[in-house]
Amino acid sequence: MMNKHAAVSAVSMRARPRLAGLSRLKPSRQVCGHWQWNSIILSAQPLGRRILCFCPALMLISVPAAAETLADVIAEACRGNPAVEASRASSRAAQERVGQAHAQFGPTLNADASYGYAARRVRQNGATVLRQDGFTPVLSLTLDQPLFTFGRLTAQRRLAAADYGSSVADLQAAEQDLMANIIIAYASVLRDEKLVAIARSNLGQLTAQLDQIDARYAARYATETDLQQTRTRIFSGQAQLDLAQGALLSSRNRFRNVVGRYPENLAPLPQLPPLPRTLEEAQTQGVQSSPLLQSARYDLVAAQARLGQARSNTRPYVSFQGSLARTPLTIEHGDPSEVTLQVQAGLTIPFYSSGLLSSRVREAAQIADSANQQLQQAIRDVREDIATYWDQLAATRRALPAYARAVSSADLAFQGAQQQQLDGQITSLDLLDTARDLLNSQQAQAQAEAQLYIQHAMLLGTMGQLRIETFAGEAAEFRPKAYTTPGWMGFPTGPAIEVLDAITYSDSFNPTPVTVEQSPEEGHEMPSEFERP
């Protein structure tokens, strides 16, 4: 007579063909075009035994030779992304306004020409005594040259330059936002692909468990309750697989929105640039390089330029005008004609405005003070964002080794529970609970690994260090200075007038004192990428 284990094994082998159909269930839909799924049973590898690196789960995905890298995706997205292209066009338009501001210092020459028909009749005592008609040409040239505007044109030039600088900062912010969205979409696809694989592996393990429970039930070593509990977990596992596949489809849709197409074969995520050693260094670097702060600084410069413009409007304006005109003396033909040359210097003095101009000066000073306060607040916000991402990344780095050990322990516990269940030491419910613990640990680890990479990228972006050339090379970088306006704008008198006009320009103001947010504290250490608790 066979012992208990041999009997169970024999019955299990006899019952397996009858249950094999359940173990070969196919997924309800194909998530990725390059996946060929023939069975939902996958070998469960002990994930805890894998070497923990910067992003272990995403690095361990098998990649075909023709896999597209993150650099390829970034280069492609930056060449045709509507939001970035719109920011680039706005930057080029702002640079044109700088050239226009320089051109205002130079002369303006206009030519007018007309050729018209005129008729004249003179009657006296009911009789026509003079009859004239004909076509006559009229030609004229007009020259206008500002000589001394007391800073009006200087204010417009500085305002245009500040507008251009702000547009470049906005462009850098748009590019960094695109970079962050690409990295999030890329990492999310890889994460959800692994979560689908984990859910499928879990369903395969539950299906194999059902096979054994069914065999034990046929040999009367398991109860109907054991069988139904296992089936309940299988149904839940199928639902989790469906949800994971849905999340993957959602991540692929987001990838298409950012890049312009669906992902194909994604390569593992590359190593991100290293971080500063301390939080204070990261905050200092962020205050210097953040495009948000650059834009706020240019907003302050623009506000000061408007203040200088308001002050200049209270001062005189000196200009030079000249005109040359040829006018026929008769309407019958162009001969004889009169040639007129006029040259004059004009002086305009705003003598009295009922307090309007002085009020505008005070208003502009308050706006400049407001821009300075907003800059200080923006510095605080950037420092806070850097500290937040820094602490979140540090916490994830410390937690990730614990997740890896949890997966390793859960995997060993599941393997041991399988043997104990065969020996009759634990119930089927205990084994199912152990399988659920393994699933939860694997899912938490996959989420933490993806979050680790995303938090690192977001921290770099807040510091102003998430640059296109870092990933895709200089070929994908957009250089605003490559687009230039003609260098002769404002010539020949413009450069000299600029120097003269800037002498009386004034945009200074007394800002309201603010408290500089500088309060370092301990406890913000960043653990190493390979540090174990």
Side-chain angles (χ1 to χ4, degrees):
M1 181 176 180
M2 296 185 296
N3 57 27
K4 178 175 66 174
H5 297 306
V8 171
S9 176
V11 174
S12 176
M13 293 301 296
R14 290 194 301 271
R16 189 174 301 276
R18 181 165 51 87
L19 301 174
L22 181 59
S23 65
R24 289 194 298 270
L25 291 177
K26 295 183 179 179
S28 57
R29 56 183 177 275
Q30 187 174 2
V31 178
C32 298
H34 58 279
W35 286 359
Q36 299 291 334
W37 293 333
N38 297 321
S39 173
I40 61 174
I41 297 181
L42 302 179
S43 59
Q45 301 179 4
L47 299 181
R49 301 175 185 176
R50 298 174 182 174
I51 299 177
L52 179 64
C53 61
F54 180 74
C55 194
L58 302 179
M59 297 296 183
L60 291 173
I61 299 176
S62 61
V63 181
E68 57 179 346
T69 64
L70 179 60
D72 298 333
V73 173
I74 290 176
E76 179 181 355
C78 291
R79 284 193 296 266
N81 185 269
V84 173
E85 291 299 332
S87 297
R88 290 173 177 176
S90 298
S91 177
R92 293 190 292 265
Q95 190 168 4
E96 289 291 347
R97 289 192 290 272
V98 174
Q100 295 167 16
H102 283 284
Q104 293 185 75
F105 288 94
T108 301
L109 182 63
N110 295 320
D112 295 325
S114 64
Y115 188 76
Y117 172 80
R120 182 184 181 190
R121 301 290 186 269
V122 178
R123 296 178 63 86
Q124 184 177 6
N125 297 327
T128 301
V129 297
L130 180 62
R131 183 191 302 269
Q132 291 180 336
D133 65 274
F135 292 88
T136 56
V138 177
L139 302 175
S140 66
L141 290 175
T142 303
L143 176 66
D144 189 1
Q145 171 65 63
L147 295 179
F148 196 43
T149 68
F150 287 86
R152 288 177 176 85
L153 297 182
T154 300
Q156 295 180 16
R157 175 177 58 82
R158 295 197 177 189
L159 183 60
D163 184 31
Y164 171 67
S166 180
S167 69
V168 173
D170 292 341
L171 170 60
Q172 294 174 350
E175 290 179 342
Q176 290 202 149
D177 289 342
L178 176 62
M179 289 278 295
N181 289 330
I182 292 174
I183 290 176
I184 291 174
Y186 196 105
S188 297
V189 171
L190 293 179
R191 175 202 63 200
D192 292 340
E193 286 178 350
K194 182 178 182 183
L195 289 177
V196 168
I198 291 174
R200 169 173 284 117
S201 176
N202 173 70
L203 185 58
Q205 291 172 345
L206 293 174
T207 304
Q209 181 65 21
L210 177 62
D211 194 0
Q212 296 179 2
I213 294 297
D214 200 3
R216 290 169 60 85
Y217 178 75
R220 298 185 179 182
Y221 289 108
T223 65
E224 180 70 21
T225 301
D226 296 332
L227 188 62
Q228 296 303 326
Q229 287 175 339
T230 306
R231 289 175 178 174
T232 300
R233 296 294 177 88
I234 287 181
F235 295 145
S236 298
Q238 181 62 55
Q240 289 180 336
L241 176 60
D242 291 336
L243 292 176
Q245 291 173 343
L248 176 57
L249 291 175
S250 178
S251 297
R252 291 172 62 84
N253 290 333
R254 182 177 186 180
F255 186 98
R256 181 188 63 173
N257 180 26
V258 176
V259 181
R261 59 171 177 80
Y262 282 112
E264 296 178 359
N265 299 324
L266 298 184
L269 287 166
Q271 186 80 11
L272 288 171
L275 298 174
R277 293 175 299 176
T278 64
L279 174 60
E280 288 71 22
E281 292 180 5
Q283 289 175 331
T284 301
Q285 191 172 2
V287 170
Q288 295 174 350
S289 305
S290 172
L292 297 179
L293 294 184
Q294 293 293 343
S295 180
R297 292 186 180 99
Y298 282 116
D299 290 342
L300 175 59
V301 174
Q304 290 183 269
R306 293 186 179 93
L307 173 59
Q309 187 177 37
R311 286 175 176 163
S312 299
N313 289 335
T314 65
R315 299 166 182 169
Y317 181 94
V318 181
S319 63
F320 171 83
Q321 293 89 27
S323 64
L324 177 65
R326 178 185 181 277
T327 306
L329 296 178
T330 66
I331 63 174
E332 292 181 332
H333 46 76
D335 189 26
S337 61
E338 179 185 32
V339 177
T340 303
L341 174 63
Q342 292 183 349
V343 177
Q344 64 180 10
L347 173 64
T348 302
I349 301 177
F351 186 70
Y352 181 68
S353 64
S354 300
L356 175 63
L357 296 181
S358 59
S359 176
R360 287 176 176 173
V361 172
R362 294 192 298 271
E363 177 192 10
Q366 295 302 318
I367 293 176
D369 188 29
S370 174
N372 181 64
Q373 302 295 333
Q374 292 175 2
L375 172 60
Q376 299 301 323
Q377 183 59 49
I379 293 176
R380 290 189 176 192
D381 294 340
V382 169
R383 289 172 58 86
E384 177 192 356
D385 293 340
I386 292 176
T388 299
Y389 284 122
W390 179 278
D391 292 335
Q392 290 177 351
L393 178 61
T396 304
R397 282 188 177 182
R398 287 190 292 266
L400 195 57
Y403 279 122
R405 294 177 179 178
V407 170
S408 177
S409 298
D411 183 66
L412 294 175
F414 178 73
Q415 295 178 11
Q418 286 179 315
Q419 184 62 41
Q420 289 179 335
Q421 195 260 352
L422 291 176
D423 295 338
Q425 299 178 2
I426 61 175
T427 64
S428 300
L429 181 59
D430 295 332
L431 179 61
L432 294 174
D433 290 340
T434 307
R436 182 173 57 188
D437 293 340
L438 176 60
L439 172 65
N440 294 336
S441 300
Q442 291 173 333
Q443 290 175 336
Q445 184 189 32
Q447 295 280 0
E449 288 166 346
Q451 192 66 20
L452 179 70
Y453 197 92
I454 293 174
Q455 288 172 346
H456 193 151
M458 296 300 292
L459 177 57
L460 290 174
T462 308
M463 295 166 51
Q465 302 301 314
L466 199 61
R467 299 188 177 97
I468 294 177
E469 62 271 19
T470 304
F471 295 87
E474 296 183 357
E477 181 186 7
F478 175 74
R479 297 178 176 86
K481 293 183 179 180
Y483 180 85
T484 58
T485 56
W488 48 265
M489 300 186 73
F491 277 87
T493 58
I497 300 298
E498 284 192 42
V499 176
L500 182 65
D501 193 72
I503 295 177
T504 58
Y505 175 81
S506 174
D507 60 3
S508 61
F509 69 101
N510 295 323
T512 302
V514 296
T515 302
V516 179
E517 186 257 340
Q518 292 284 353
S519 56
E521 69 172 355
E522 299 179 355
H524 296 276
E525 292 78 13
M526 176 65 68
S528 171
E529 297 178 6
F530 298 94
E531 182 175 328
R532 301 295 196 276

